[in-house]
Amino acid sequence: MKLSHYLLLYCLGFILAWQSAPAQIHAAQEQLPLHLFTYDKTLPLAYHDSLMDTQQGVRIYQIAYASPLKGQVTGLLFVPPGPGPFPGILLQHGAPGSALAQTPRGLYLARHGAVVLATNAPFAQRGGDPLQFTLADSVDQVRYIINLQRAVDLLLRRPDIDTSRLGYVGRSYSGSMGVLLAGIERRIKTYVLAVADGGFVSHFSSTTALTGDQLSLEGPARKRWLAAQLPIEPIRFIHRTPGAGLLLQSARQDEAVAAADAEALHRAAPAGTLIKWYDAGHRLNAQAYLDQLAWFHQQLGTRAAGPGDEQGPAFPAPPSAQKRP
């Protein structure tokens, strides 16, 4: 059965329960649909790469591997000089965004002694709007998490990686998706989740959404979308994340994530989670990236920040301001 058909049946059941028995659905929401994120780990990776560039001693490869749900996952791999073994870090982009746009961050981390894998989210590969406000959004979300678990399989199979030292860093959209991944994936030791909220439902809530981000769907379409998204809303999974291995970074002047949503995520996080606020907007500031280096140095044994790191990654000039989930 196709993933979209499976999710449709699941969500129809969710809607019926919601309409007919509110008390039962409240109880059902306590039961996480972990089965949606399982996949056949014996499938071949069909991995291939090609050297694209070398910068600051870091080799940059274009990569692709097979998704367990058919098709390919594409991205970039950053390999530092030397034989290793190195920590492995999964680096994910926001929405809209792409793996290629993560090149400055990939170099920044790889220069400190980590193999960095940046993959494209499903919307980045298909093109178009990241969100369609249909059942396709929940299908994409499940597909993304399965593809990220497969990315962990890839890292674990590399001989130059210390399999006990895996990390994840994501911002905005991939910060929220990192919450979901951390609630499912047990092989990653530590997570850095920057300017994240609780997920799409939290982000587009009519009571907390920033101006222009309110959910515009009405009637049955609204009910279908919410019923599909609520079971896999990342904040519902955060209690399963590794508290002492979790760093949440938020911005006081964030123009894309409401402070109330960030604070709700913080409150739901397990004991031991480190929470840091910055006097910055959604793009954060140099101190946030220095804190990420310090965190991975502590958690994974990467090299500490040094001279030349004070300005953070060498990002290009920002485009004209635009909201993104």
Side-chain angles (χ1 to χ4, degrees), residues 94-135:
S98 68
L100 183 62
Q102 299 309 298
T103 298
R105 298 176 72 204
L107 286 169
Y108 193 68
L109 293 169
R111 285 195 298 103
H112 292 82
V115 171
V116 180
L117 175 59
T119 71
N120 285 306
F123 68 78
Q125 293 193 195
R126 73 163 187 266
D129 292 335
L131 273 176
Q132 302 174 61
F133 294 102
T134 68
L135 182 63

Side-chain angles (χ1 to χ4, degrees), residues 289-315:
Y289 293 104
L290 287 171
D291 288 348
Q292 291 180 10
L293 290 183
W295 180 264
F296 285 131
H297 173 63
Q298 172 193 343
Q299 295 281 330
L300 301 179
T302 55
R303 287 193 295 276
D309 292 323
E310 296 86 354
Q311 301 303 313
F315 291 114

